[in-house]
Amino acid sequence: MFLGLEWYWWLVIVIVFVVMLPLKIKFMKWWGRRGQEKRNHQRGKWGEEE
């Protein structure tokens, strides 16, 4: 087979990527919101509202 792997290993790899992609997107959105909330909290903490 391709690169010395059997067909079922390629199937496993594809399934892992299909499952991981939406989880990664969800995590990245959460991480961005978390960072923005931290920045907003720190700005308001010292009274430097813009």
Side-chain angles (χ1 to χ4, degrees):
M1 281 304 285
F2 189 66
L3 294 177
L5 294 177
E6 295 293 332
W7 66 270
Y8 49 85
W9 287 114
W10 287 111
L11 185 63
V12 169
I13 292 170
V14 168
I15 290 172
V16 166
F17 276 113
V18 167
V19 169
M20 292 292 286
L21 191 61
L23 293 176
K24 180 180 179 183
I25 292 170
K26 187 174 182 177
F27 174 77
M28 294 300 287
K29 286 181 180 180
W30 172 80
W31 190 262
R33 277 194 315 260
R34 181 179 173 266
Q36 189 170 4
E37 288 173 1
K38 275 188 155 186
R39 285 190 298 273
N40 288 343
H41 179 67
Q42 287 176 349
R43 187 178 301 135
K45 183 178 181 181
W46 299 104
E48 298 172 6
E49 298 288 337
E50 291 183 289

